[in-house]
Amino acid sequence: STPARDVIFAWAPPGDAPPTMFPDDAWTREAPMSRTGVRIDLGAGGSRAWIAAEASPFDLVWPGLDGLDGWGTTASLQLAFDGPGWALDDPARVRLIELAAEAPVDIAVDAREVTDTHAAITPRRPLRPRTRHALLLRADAACDGCRLRPSEPLAALLAGEGDARLAARLAEAI
């Protein structure tokens, strides 16, 4: 039989390149005086030099987001993979969860392929403001004979290693 092929969820921590998942709280900083408790910080892991290299209109859009008090509540989540082979057509493979204080709440979503390496996950209702949410992709959210795996930086973060600031925020959220 043919060995399974890995499809990597291409999340990368903030650095000198654009976000590979958007929106992503890794690209925020704590801001207790803001309405949401965070501010978008597109230079969170390095410089903002990557913004100037973006194609129009994104070279103009990114600076407008920098410093806002959190992400919107109705936009799609954009995900990147290292290649084709992921399959998000089964709603059970994708979960968006509201991490409310009282109990986690599942949010219905629509998942669609944007390109063979990008997907958009759209909540069917606006998200609750000032509330953390988690997106879960099941390991079988890949084609037959494929396995969905986290990127090396994400695997390290999930293991409690890597960027201490991001690991602490992840631990707090889950």
Side-chain angles (χ1 to χ4, degrees), residues 13-153:
D16 295 327
T20 54
M21 179 177 167
F22 180 82
D24 182 351
D25 268 359
W27 292 83
T28 64
R29 60 180 162 76
E30 298 296 324
M33 300 304 290
S34 79
R35 293 183 304 149
T36 62
V38 298
R39 291 226 179 264
I40 297 172
D41 183 2
L42 296 179
S47 75
R48 290 174 171 80
W50 60 268
I51 295 172
E54 288 285 283
S56 182
F58 298 105
D59 60 334
L60 302 174
V61 172
W62 289 117
L65 294 175
D66 207 17
L68 291 178
D69 63 350
W71 305 106
T73 60
T74 59
S76 296
L77 290 86
Q78 305 297 313
L79 309 178
F81 300 87
D82 73 337
W86 48 273
L88 303 177
D89 52 341
D90 178 354
R93 293 178 173 171
V94 182
R95 290 181 63 197
L96 181 60
I97 301 171
E98 179 180 287
L99 301 174
E102 49 285 358
V105 176
D106 276 292
I107 307 292
V109 298
D110 292 314
R112 68 181 175 84
E113 180 179 313
V114 177
T115 70
D116 64 353
T117 59
H118 289 82
I121 312 297
T122 306
R124 292 187 184 166
R125 66 166 176 81
L127 302 180
R128 181 188 293 187
R130 294 178 291 284
T131 305
R132 286 238 163 98
H133 295 80
L135 179 67
L136 303 176
L137 302 177
R138 285 189 1 197
D140 66 349
C143 65
D144 291 336
C146 299
R147 297 176 301 206
L148 184 62
R149 298 277 188 240
S151 63
E152 287 183 26

